[in-house]
Amino acid sequence: TANTAAARSTIRAPLEMVASQEVEVNNKKKRTKEERLQLASKGLQVHVIGLSIHHADVDVREKLAIPEDDWNTASNEITSTGSVSEAAVLSTCNRFEVYYSAPDAREATARVTEYLAERSGLPVSLLRKNLFMLSGDDAVWHLMRVSGGLDSLVVGEGQILSQVRQCHLHSIEEDGCGGKVLARMLNNAVAAGKRVRSETAISKGSVSISSAAVELSEMYSMKDLNLPFSEARLAVVGAGKMTRLLITHLASRGLEKITIVNRSLGRPQELQEQFPDVDIDIKLMDDLWDVVGRSDIVYTATSSVDYVVDEALLKENGLAGGRPLMLVD
């Protein structure tokens, strides 16, 4: 709405002013515990700075991405100067967000922006073009939308709720930086996400990237491959959560056989145990191009920061320009 747009344009303003404050923040001494407690007594306001598939270039998202095991490490770095009282990181394949609370919004925003610039190696001027910032109620509502699946690439998808739950759990760990304000907000967001899915029909239909990928490939199989989907030879590169969801949706459509290509055998073997009715053939990455060469549809679901399959590699392995091949990332 017009009011929402006006509000967001207002709260984005501090983000565009933080570059000039970074030197000042860098030169400040770390506050003592007594000083931080005194500031905290003034009250903390919640903020979020981040980028998502809606706002940022893929290259920028990739440079800021943080593995889940390092979320708390990042939060501790953000709060290390004392400008930010509490912080929690949520980093997924489609979004990167830092939720934080502080008594001085401008100083805290400068600190978070400084950290993002240091981590990504990108100038603040470029980051500002990709970042969004929300404060107060707008930050809270944003988190509720994220947890409820309204801000996802596939509306209603359930994986983000699990990721928000992990964000909350990490924030209350011994080395977490959630504090009373953020921890409570994240916990409420998880509860809201559960209610959304139990009390509405948002989770019906294709509610994940994996299910959408299956429907898309099934829809275009005859058109692009001149082959019924049920007869297509399938392979997937990677053996993580996305692959498990993919096989779940494929199995519901009568999947009988699929080849999994992975760097190690552990996870594919776990999938074999989870899906005893599906004939899962396991191959290591050394056999990738042999598998691609005898497959009709190849799904890729890896955490690799580099391309696993591209046109140059297809040509290099003699697989370009021949029979039709569908690639679904």
XYZ file of all heavy atoms in Angstrom, residues 46-112:
512
model
N 14.054 -3.072 17.732
C 14.419 -4.173 16.837
C 14.581 -3.654 15.408
O 13.810 -2.810 14.950
C 13.341 -5.271 16.873
C 13.655 -6.363 15.858
C 13.239 -5.860 18.268
N 15.567 -4.191 14.711
C 15.816 -3.833 13.312
C 16.187 -5.098 12.540
O 16.596 -6.102 13.124
C 16.972 -2.831 13.189
C 16.907 -1.686 14.134
N 16.202 -0.533 13.876
C 17.456 -1.516 15.371
C 16.322 0.296 14.886
N 17.082 -0.275 15.815
N 16.076 -5.019 11.235
C 16.593 -6.084 10.377
C 17.229 -5.445 9.151
O 16.681 -4.519 8.555
C 15.492 -7.085 9.951
C 14.341 -6.394 9.223
C 16.085 -8.183 9.064
N 18.414 -5.906 8.829
C 19.092 -5.539 7.582
C 19.349 -6.838 6.836
O 19.780 -7.821 7.424
C 20.423 -4.815 7.844
C 20.183 -3.367 8.280
C 21.285 -4.805 6.581
C 21.461 -2.591 8.517
N 19.083 -6.840 5.563
C 19.339 -8.069 4.826
C 19.158 -7.918 3.341
O 18.943 -6.825 2.819
N 19.260 -9.034 2.692
C 19.009 -9.089 1.258
C 18.371 -10.436 0.965
O 18.565 -11.407 1.681
C 20.290 -8.890 0.452
C 21.598 -9.487 0.960
C 21.673 -10.951 0.624
C 22.776 -8.759 0.368
N 17.565 -10.461 -0.057
C 16.853 -11.687 -0.399
C 16.751 -11.794 -1.907
O 17.230 -10.930 -2.652
C 15.449 -11.692 0.223
O 14.608 -10.790 -0.466
N 16.076 -12.827 -2.353
C 15.901 -13.040 -3.781
C 15.101 -11.908 -4.401
O 15.162 -11.647 -5.597
C 15.210 -14.402 -4.034
C 15.363 -14.813 -5.491
C 13.740 -14.372 -3.616
C 14.990 -16.248 -5.757
N 14.346 -11.169 -3.571
C 13.528 -10.066 -4.071
C 14.338 -8.783 -4.239
O 13.923 -7.885 -4.968
C 12.371 -9.784 -3.111
C 11.533 -10.984 -2.802
N 10.779 -11.639 -3.752
C 11.330 -11.647 -1.638
C 10.152 -12.656 -3.187
N 10.472 -12.694 -1.907
N 15.476 -8.670 -3.540
C 16.171 -7.392 -3.488
C 17.597 -7.407 -4.031
O 18.108 -6.358 -4.400
C 16.244 -6.895 -2.039
C 14.928 -6.789 -1.357
N 14.398 -7.817 -0.620
C 14.020 -5.789 -1.320
C 13.218 -7.441 -0.137
N 12.967 -6.230 -0.541
N 18.245 -8.566 -4.038
C 19.692 -8.570 -4.253
C 20.119 -9.433 -5.432
O 19.453 -10.401 -5.797
C 20.392 -9.052 -2.986
N 21.262 -9.051 -6.000
C 21.884 -9.861 -7.046
C 22.405 -11.154 -6.428
O 22.814 -11.183 -5.262
C 23.046 -9.107 -7.691
C 22.581 -7.849 -8.414
O 21.413 -7.826 -8.847
O 23.377 -6.904 -8.521
N 22.414 -12.221 -7.212
C 22.873 -13.519 -6.723
C 24.319 -13.433 -6.236
O 24.672 -13.991 -5.189
C 22.747 -14.593 -7.827
C 23.360 -15.909 -7.358
C 21.290 -14.796 -8.205
N 25.183 -12.722 -6.963
C 26.591 -12.629 -6.585
C 26.763 -12.002 -5.202
O 27.633 -12.421 -4.425
C 27.364 -11.797 -7.616
C 27.485 -12.510 -8.952
O 27.261 -13.737 -8.968
O 27.789 -11.851 -9.958
N 25.939 -11.024 -4.903
C 26.028 -10.359 -3.595
C 25.561 -11.309 -2.499
O 26.187 -11.416 -1.435
C 25.188 -9.073 -3.579
C 25.203 -8.433 -2.192
C 25.720 -8.089 -4.623
N 24.463 -12.026 -2.738
C 23.958 -12.979 -1.751
C 24.999 -14.053 -1.459
O 25.197 -14.460 -0.309
C 22.663 -13.643 -2.242
C 21.489 -12.700 -2.359
C 20.164 -13.440 -2.199
N 20.043 -14.617 -3.035
C 19.582 -14.621 -4.277
N 19.216 -13.485 -4.856
N 19.481 -15.744 -4.965
N 25.670 -14.516 -2.496
C 26.655 -15.579 -2.310
C 27.846 -15.095 -1.478
O 28.410 -15.862 -0.691
C 27.134 -16.097 -3.673
C 26.057 -16.899 -4.422
C 26.525 -17.353 -5.789
O 27.549 -16.820 -6.271
O 25.859 -18.219 -6.387
N 28.236 -13.824 -1.620
C 29.384 -13.309 -0.878
C 29.054 -13.085 0.592
O 29.964 -13.035 1.437
C 29.872 -12.006 -1.517
C 30.563 -12.230 -2.860
C 31.113 -10.946 -3.440
C 31.833 -11.236 -4.760
N 32.378 -9.997 -5.362
N 27.779 -12.937 0.909
C 27.386 -12.716 2.291
C 26.920 -13.986 2.996
O 26.760 -14.002 4.214
C 26.273 -11.673 2.361
C 26.702 -10.213 2.188
C 25.487 -9.302 2.126
C 27.620 -9.783 3.314
N 26.664 -15.054 2.245
C 26.114 -16.283 2.822
C 27.002 -16.816 3.946
O 28.233 -16.800 3.850
C 25.948 -17.339 1.739
N 26.356 -17.276 5.019
C 27.067 -17.820 6.180
C 26.517 -19.204 6.494
O 25.304 -19.356 6.677
C 26.889 -16.917 7.412
C 27.464 -15.519 7.143
C 27.560 -17.525 8.632
C 27.267 -14.556 8.302
N 27.360 -20.235 6.575
C 26.890 -21.571 6.959
C 26.247 -21.530 8.340
O 26.649 -20.725 9.195
C 28.180 -22.409 6.963
C 29.150 -21.646 6.121
C 28.808 -20.202 6.297
N 25.272 -22.387 8.561
C 24.546 -22.375 9.830
C 25.470 -22.541 11.034
O 25.247 -21.926 12.089
C 23.483 -23.469 9.838
C 22.608 -23.456 11.077
C 21.527 -24.518 11.052
O 21.106 -24.930 9.945
O 21.099 -24.949 12.136
N 26.508 -23.334 10.894
C 27.436 -23.553 12.006
C 28.142 -22.269 12.436
O 28.694 -22.200 13.544
C 28.483 -24.608 11.633
C 27.882 -26.001 11.516
O 26.765 -26.204 12.026
O 28.525 -26.877 10.913
N 28.156 -21.263 11.553
C 28.869 -20.013 11.849
C 27.926 -18.853 12.164
O 28.386 -17.707 12.289
C 29.765 -19.624 10.660
C 30.856 -20.651 10.401
O 31.287 -21.296 11.376
O 31.272 -20.816 9.237
N 26.625 -19.118 12.290
C 25.679 -18.031 12.575
C 26.035 -17.312 13.876
O 26.027 -16.083 13.937
C 24.251 -18.570 12.638
C 23.669 -18.931 11.305
C 24.286 -18.842 10.093
C 22.362 -19.447 11.050
N 23.439 -19.286 9.095
C 22.257 -19.649 9.657
C 21.269 -19.761 11.867
C 21.097 -20.148 9.056
C 20.115 -20.262 11.275
C 20.022 -20.454 9.887
N 26.334 -18.077 14.914
C 26.643 -17.451 16.200
C 27.970 -16.717 16.177
O 28.138 -15.689 16.834
C 26.641 -18.503 17.311
C 25.236 -18.873 17.757
O 24.256 -18.264 17.321
N 25.124 -19.865 18.620
N 28.920 -17.238 15.420
C 30.206 -16.548 15.287
C 29.998 -15.169 14.673
O 30.553 -14.166 15.146
C 31.171 -17.365 14.407
O 31.385 -18.646 14.995
C 32.511 -16.649 14.254
N 29.169 -15.122 13.630
C 28.872 -13.843 12.979
C 28.153 -12.903 13.941
O 28.456 -11.704 14.003
C 28.030 -14.083 11.731
N 27.197 -13.427 14.692
C 26.456 -12.597 15.652
C 27.391 -12.007 16.705
O 27.249 -10.839 17.088
C 25.361 -13.425 16.326
O 24.418 -13.886 15.386
N 28.347 -12.802 17.162
C 29.300 -12.307 18.152
C 30.196 -11.220 17.585
O 30.552 -10.262 18.282
C 30.142 -13.469 18.693
C 29.450 -14.231 19.807
O 29.433 -13.792 20.950
N 28.844 -15.363 19.471
N 30.569 -11.348 16.325
C 31.382 -10.307 15.693
C 30.593 -9.011 15.573
O 31.126 -7.923 15.791
C 31.848 -10.780 14.312
C 32.890 -11.885 14.352
C 33.381 -12.271 12.965
O 33.278 -11.434 12.052
O 33.845 -13.403 12.790
N 29.319 -9.130 15.222
C 28.478 -7.938 15.061
C 28.318 -7.195 16.382
O 28.335 -5.964 16.426
C 27.099 -8.338 14.489
C 27.258 -8.805 13.035
C 26.109 -7.175 14.567
C 26.010 -9.434 12.453
N 28.178 -7.936 17.477
C 27.953 -7.307 18.781
C 29.248 -6.975 19.519
O 29.209 -6.426 20.620
C 27.109 -8.238 19.679
O 27.783 -9.503 19.830
C 25.737 -8.478 19.070
N 30.378 -7.282 18.925
C 31.665 -7.167 19.632
C 32.019 -5.732 20.011
O 32.737 -5.513 20.991
C 32.795 -7.774 18.786
O 32.936 -7.057 17.569
N 31.551 -4.740 19.266
C 31.925 -3.347 19.565
C 31.022 -2.714 20.610
O 31.337 -1.638 21.130
C 31.868 -2.486 18.291
O 30.510 -2.418 17.831
C 32.755 -3.066 17.200
N 29.894 -3.342 20.904
C 28.968 -2.785 21.870
C 27.900 -1.901 21.265
O 26.946 -1.508 21.943
N 28.016 -1.583 19.977
C 27.003 -0.747 19.325
C 25.701 -1.502 19.145
O 24.615 -0.913 19.118
C 27.512 -0.275 17.961
O 28.678 0.496 18.097
N 25.803 -2.823 18.993
C 24.631 -3.687 18.841
C 24.499 -4.533 20.092
O 25.460 -5.192 20.507
C 24.773 -4.596 17.600
C 23.592 -5.561 17.489
C 24.885 -3.754 16.334
N 23.316 -4.514 20.708
C 23.116 -5.242 21.965
C 22.825 -6.715 21.741
O 23.321 -7.577 22.456
C 21.959 -4.606 22.747
O 22.220 -3.249 23.018
N 21.986 -7.029 20.744
C 21.615 -8.410 20.432
C 21.647 -8.592 18.923
O 21.379 -7.654 18.165
C 20.196 -8.724 20.938
C 19.996 -8.522 22.414
C 18.558 -8.746 22.844
O 17.698 -9.051 21.974
O 18.273 -8.620 24.047
N 21.965 -9.800 18.477
C 22.003 -10.068 17.036
C 21.731 -11.539 16.773
O 22.087 -12.407 17.577
C 23.360 -9.674 16.444
N 21.084 -11.799 15.663
C 20.828 -13.173 15.215
C 20.877 -13.191 13.698
O 20.291 -12.324 13.041
C 19.465 -13.659 15.717
N 21.573 -14.166 13.145
C 21.756 -14.270 11.693
C 20.860 -15.373 11.134
O 20.755 -16.456 11.714
C 23.227 -14.570 11.351
C 23.391 -14.894 9.868
C 24.115 -13.390 11.748
N 20.213 -15.076 10.019
C 19.430 -16.060 9.269
C 19.953 -16.058 7.845
O 19.759 -15.098 7.098
C 17.940 -15.699 9.297
C 17.006 -16.582 8.453
C 17.010 -18.013 8.975
C 15.587 -16.022 8.450
N 20.646 -17.127 7.469
C 21.267 -17.200 6.143
C 20.827 -18.481 5.448
O 21.086 -19.583 5.925
C 22.801 -17.172 6.271
O 23.425 -17.242 5.003
N 20.115 -18.324 4.316
C 19.659 -19.466 3.535
C 20.103 -19.271 2.092
O 20.759 -18.282 1.764
C 18.123 -19.598 3.587
O 17.526 -18.562 2.777
C 17.606 -19.473 5.018
N 19.710 -20.197 1.216
C 20.123 -20.083 -0.185
C 19.464 -18.886 -0.871
O 19.965 -18.402 -1.888
C 19.807 -21.365 -0.948
S 18.076 -21.878 -0.844
N 18.343 -18.396 -0.333
C 17.622 -17.303 -0.977
C 17.632 -15.998 -0.206
O 17.127 -14.998 -0.696
C 16.157 -17.704 -1.218
C 16.019 -18.706 -2.335
O 16.777 -18.678 -3.296
N 15.080 -19.609 -2.195
N 18.169 -16.009 1.009
C 18.145 -14.767 1.781
C 19.296 -14.730 2.778
O 19.843 -15.756 3.178
C 16.811 -14.611 2.511
C 16.589 -15.594 3.658
C 15.278 -15.307 4.389
N 14.130 -15.579 3.546
C 13.296 -14.654 3.086
N 13.478 -13.387 3.411
N 12.271 -14.973 2.315
N 19.642 -13.510 3.159
C 20.605 -13.291 4.226
C 20.078 -12.124 5.042
O 19.887 -11.023 4.523
C 21.995 -12.955 3.675
C 22.976 -12.575 4.760
C 23.677 -13.549 5.435
C 23.167 -11.236 5.105
C 24.572 -13.203 6.446
C 24.048 -10.891 6.117
C 24.750 -11.878 6.785
N 19.815 -12.357 6.333
C 19.239 -11.316 7.172
C 19.908 -11.295 8.533
O 20.236 -12.343 9.100
C 17.728 -11.535 7.336
C 16.972 -11.433 6.017
C 15.502 -11.751 6.126
O 15.058 -12.230 7.193
O 14.778 -11.539 5.129
N 20.113 -10.098 9.052
C 20.631 -9.907 10.405
C 19.561 -9.175 11.203
O 19.210 -8.040 10.882
C 21.932 -9.092 10.411
C 22.413 -8.885 11.856
C 23.018 -9.766 9.586
N 19.038 -9.847 12.204
C 18.105 -9.212 13.131
C 18.924 -8.714 14.314
O 19.761 -9.439 14.853
C 17.042 -10.215 13.595
C 16.122 -10.641 12.480
C 16.427 -11.737 11.668
C 14.960 -9.923 12.209
C 15.594 -12.111 10.625
C 14.111 -10.297 11.168
C 14.434 -11.381 10.386
O 13.611 -11.750 9.340
N 18.692 -7.481 14.723
C 19.483 -6.934 15.816
C 18.664 -5.919 16.605
O 17.667 -5.373 16.119
C 20.772 -6.300 15.290
C 20.592 -5.145 14.323
C 20.714 -3.827 14.746
C 20.311 -5.383 12.982
C 20.564 -2.767 13.861
C 20.156 -4.340 12.090
C 20.283 -3.027 12.528
O 20.116 -1.986 11.645
N 19.080 -5.697 17.847
C 18.431 -4.703 18.694
C 19.501 -3.833 19.322
O 20.606 -4.303 19.625
C 17.575 -5.371 19.770
O 18.377 -6.155 20.631
N 19.180 -2.566 19.516
C 20.139 -1.613 20.057
C 19.400 -0.365 20.519
O 18.333 -0.040 20.008
C 21.179 -1.246 18.996
N 19.978 0.360 21.473
C 19.355 1.611 21.921
C 19.580 2.764 20.948
O 18.793 3.702 20.898
C 20.034 1.871 23.276
C 21.357 1.188 23.168
C 21.117 -0.026 22.316
N 20.681 2.697 20.180
C 20.997 3.752 19.208
C 20.928 3.152 17.810
O 21.849 2.462 17.364
C 22.397 4.305 19.490
C 22.742 5.520 18.631
O 22.285 5.567 17.465
O 23.460 6.408 19.118
N 19.827 3.395 17.117
C 19.589 2.758 15.819
C 20.644 3.123 14.783
O 21.131 2.267 14.041
C 18.207 3.144 15.306
N 21.020 4.385 14.743
C 21.963 4.832 13.712
C 23.341 4.203 13.911
O 23.963 3.709 12.976
C 22.057 6.359 13.725
C 22.980 6.918 12.649
C 22.842 8.421 12.549
N 21.487 8.794 12.105
C 21.144 10.047 11.824
N 22.011 11.025 11.953
N 19.917 10.315 11.419
N 23.818 4.212 15.155
C 25.129 3.633 15.439
C 25.133 2.126 15.176
O 26.098 1.568 14.633
C 25.501 3.917 16.897
C 26.925 3.525 17.257
C 27.263 3.910 18.681
O 27.060 5.087 19.039
O 27.721 3.027 19.435
N 24.040 1.453 15.557
C 23.947 0.005 15.354
C 23.903 -0.338 13.877
O 24.539 -1.300 13.421
C 22.710 -0.539 16.058
N 23.164 0.440 13.109
C 23.056 0.197 11.670
C 24.408 0.374 10.990
O 24.775 -0.384 10.097
C 22.027 1.149 11.042
O 20.753 0.913 11.639
C 21.917 0.932 9.539
N 25.153 1.377 11.464
C 26.496 1.589 10.920
C 27.382 0.381 11.198
O 28.165 -0.045 10.344
C 27.113 2.849 11.523
N 27.257 -0.200 12.401
C 28.071 -1.360 12.767
C 27.726 -2.573 11.923
O 28.614 -3.273 11.425
C 27.880 -1.677 14.264
C 28.473 -3.007 14.697
C 29.952 -3.102 14.379
N 30.452 -4.461 14.553
C 31.477 -4.957 13.878
N 32.123 -4.220 12.982
N 31.874 -6.199 14.087
N 26.433 -2.836 11.747
C 26.015 -3.998 10.954
C 26.452 -3.837 9.504
O 26.963 -4.774 8.877
C 24.486 -4.197 11.038
C 24.060 -5.337 10.118
C 24.066 -4.496 12.476
